[in-house]
Amino acid sequence: MAAGCLAVFAAGLRRRLAAREPAGGLLPDVAAAGLLLTAALLLVGGGVSTELYWDLLHLSETDPDTVAALAALYSTFPWVWPGAGLSAGAVAVAGLRRRSVSRWLAVFSLVMALLVLVTQAVPLQYLALAPTALWATVAGLAFALERRGLGN
């Protein structure tokens, strides 16, 4: 479900930024690509997690090498979040350089992108979910309110 929501948000974010950025600019595509990368990895991670869960429930019937391989893959999935951090960074650049988004959202996006970066640089990768989810929620609400004429 989260992957689907991120994919829809990526499309809307790209359209929103493309309408305000110079024609042919990379920022709308970078912002969308980061979220689409995260969405794709969430789908893959969900599949691996499900397979690992079922294999561990039926350990007597499962090949130990399969479990070991799935566990190794499972350990890489905390790295799913940098794509969303890239998107937040692109929104920050769009807002701070060209005023394509409100200044407060640009600053908020920059802070969230930096928090994602910090969690990826230290062994706390799963914590990146918090700034990623917060950024996507706040940015989505800001865009929705602005569209309705309620935001700045």
Side-chain angles (χ1 to χ4, degrees):
M1 180 151 165
C5 291
L6 281 178
V8 170
F9 182 55
L13 179 60
R14 190 205 171 285
R15 184 176 57 194
R16 168 90 169 55
L17 290 178
R20 294 193 169 189
E21 285 288 307
L26 289 177
L27 284 176
D29 293 333
V30 169
L35 288 174
L36 290 173
L37 174 65
T38 301
L41 287 173
L42 283 172
L43 285 174
V44 172
V48 170
S49 297
T50 301
E51 286 296 318
L52 183 58
Y53 173 80
W54 287 112
D55 282 346
L56 290 174
L57 278 180
H58 308 296
L59 205 49
S60 63
E61 305 164 14
T62 303
D63 177 28
D65 290 337
T66 301
V67 173
L70 288 172
L73 281 173
Y74 183 80
S75 296
T76 65
F77 287 116
W79 295 97
V80 69
W81 306 112
L86 178 67
S87 297
V91 169
V93 170
L96 295 173
R97 291 185 76 195
R98 295 195 187 91
R99 305 279 189 238
S100 299
V101 299
S102 64
R103 182 155 178 82
W104 75 265
L105 181 57
V107 170
F108 178 74
S109 296
L110 178 62
V111 170
M112 293 299 106
L114 290 173
L115 284 174
V116 170
L117 178 66
V118 166
T119 62
Q120 301 306 295
V122 297
L124 301 170
Q125 289 84 12
Y126 276 112
L127 291 178
L129 172 61
T132 298
L134 184 60
W135 173 75
T137 302
V138 169
L141 286 172
F143 292 144
L145 291 174
E146 183 178 289
R147 184 176 169 110
R148 296 191 193 283
L150 301 173
N152 291 345

